[in-house]
Amino acid sequence: AQKITQTQPGMFVQEKEAVTLDCTYDTSDQSYGLFWYKQPSSGEMIFLIYQGSYDEQNATEGRYSLNFQKARKSANLVISASQLGDSAMYFCAMRKRNAGGTSYGKLTFGQGTILTVHP
Amino acid sequence: GAGVSQSPSNKVTEKGKDVELRCDPISGHTALYWYRQSLGQGLEFLIYFQGNSAPDKSGLPSDRFSAERTGGSVSTLTIQRTQQEDSAVYLCASSPDLLREPYEQYFGPGTRLTVT
């Protein structure tokens, strides 16, 4: 079974500063993928960034980077230069992958962290 | 292009009634998922369709819940004899070819179900 833990129910950050959202996971799978999604107040889930368990480099996508520490089973999201539009709920999720690199489909989500960016 | 669409956007129903929620995935996406998000909670997996394979129903909370996907496209989630604990936002997602990472899931806007 897979489990995602996000220990920060809420986080505050000043505009233009960086913020780290924590995510730890538990799985017995050797191959898996880790995802971060953003959910604004409108409700739609927006994919931000992905990290494969065998990827040696930390993933980056614009202002988003994923601090992946496999031995510690953590996959923290770092948002640099925060903007007011970053205020939202953020979910960490994971999915099993088989040896061929294809996906088993369902995502297991954490409880989420509400990020508030102050001007 | 068009994203995942869901209808209705809001549904209020009386306890004991049946409801149907519809999902139109992105054209060409082979996989379709249903999740449920209760107030203040994370997302809970319900069911997953992949091509012509048998669906993964492991997340359905009870036999009152069922889903089908017709023609490999549109999906309908049916909840029979609704209960108040069924009140939640039901999210549908689709994803493309599974052979290319990260095969992220694209989510629809959700259907907010309220059972009174």
Side-chain angles (χ1 to χ4, degrees):
Chain A
Q2 301 174 336
K3 184 178 180 181
I4 296 282
T5 302
Q6 295 180 252
T7 58
Q8 306 155 316
M11 287 286 286
F12 296 89
V13 66
Q14 207 70 28
E15 193 178 10
K16 300 181 185 178
E17 293 185 348
V19 63
T20 297
L21 306 183
D22 294 343
C23 172
T24 57
Y25 60 91
D26 189 19
T27 182
S28 56
D29 299 313
Q30 295 300 309
S31 182
Y32 48 89
L34 294 154
F35 300 75
W36 278 91
Y37 279 84
K38 172 183 178 182
Q39 188 178 41
S41 56
S42 60
E44 197 153 344
M45 297 285 285
I46 301 168
F47 166 72
L48 295 179
I49 194 167
Y50 168 82
Q51 178 87 40
S53 59
Y54 284 103
D55 294 341
E56 294 184 354
Q57 301 266 359
N58 284 344
T60 60
E61 286 288 345
R63 295 187 297 111
Y64 305 108
S65 60
L66 201 153
N67 184 359
F68 180 47
Q69 298 187 45
K70 191 172 181 178
R72 298 180 61 185
K73 293 189 174 179
S74 73
N76 298 340
L77 176 70
V78 180
I79 305 175
S80 63
S82 296
Q83 302 172 356
L84 296 178
D86 294 335
S87 294
M89 175 81 91
Y90 288 80
F91 290 100
C92 180
M94 74 181 301
R95 183 169 65 200
K96 184 178 182 178
R97 295 170 67 231
N98 66 13
T102 56
S103 169
Y104 278 115
K106 71 175 183 182
L107 288 167
T108 299
F109 286 86
Q111 294 298 302
T113 296
I114 300 175
L115 175 66
T116 303
V117 181
H118 290 303
Chain B
V4 177
S5 61
Q6 293 185 245
S7 60
S9 55
N10 279 285
K11 177 72 176 178
V12 180
T13 190
E14 293 180 353
K15 178 181 172 181
K17 301 275 190 181
D18 298 352
V19 295
E20 286 189 349
L21 311 180
R22 177 187 168 103
C23 172
D24 280 271
I26 294 172
S27 178
H29 279 193
T30 57
L32 186 147
Y33 316 81
W34 284 97
Y35 295 89
R36 177 169 72 175
Q37 185 175 22
S38 303
L39 185 63
Q41 300 297 310
L43 278 78
E44 172 191 16
F45 166 76
L46 296 176
I47 189 169
Y48 157 55
F49 297 89
Q50 171 54 43
N52 295 322
S53 302
D56 176 357
K57 303 179 182 180
S58 60
L60 294 178
S62 77
D63 59 7
R64 295 187 296 105
F65 288 72
S66 63
E68 62 177 22
R69 188 179 185 192
T70 54
S73 180
V74 172
S75 176
T76 303
L77 176 70
T78 301
I79 309 173
Q80 295 179 313
R81 305 181 302 282
T82 52
Q83 303 294 314
Q84 288 186 330
E85 60 262 29
D86 299 335
S87 296
V89 176
Y90 289 81
L91 289 163
C92 176
S94 68
S95 65
D97 190 326
L98 297 183
L99 299 181
R100 177 176 54 84
E101 286 205 322
Y103 16 81
E104 69 267 25
Q105 296 176 16
Y106 297 80
F107 283 79
T111 293
R112 182 175 297 279
L113 175 65
T114 304
V115 182
T116 61

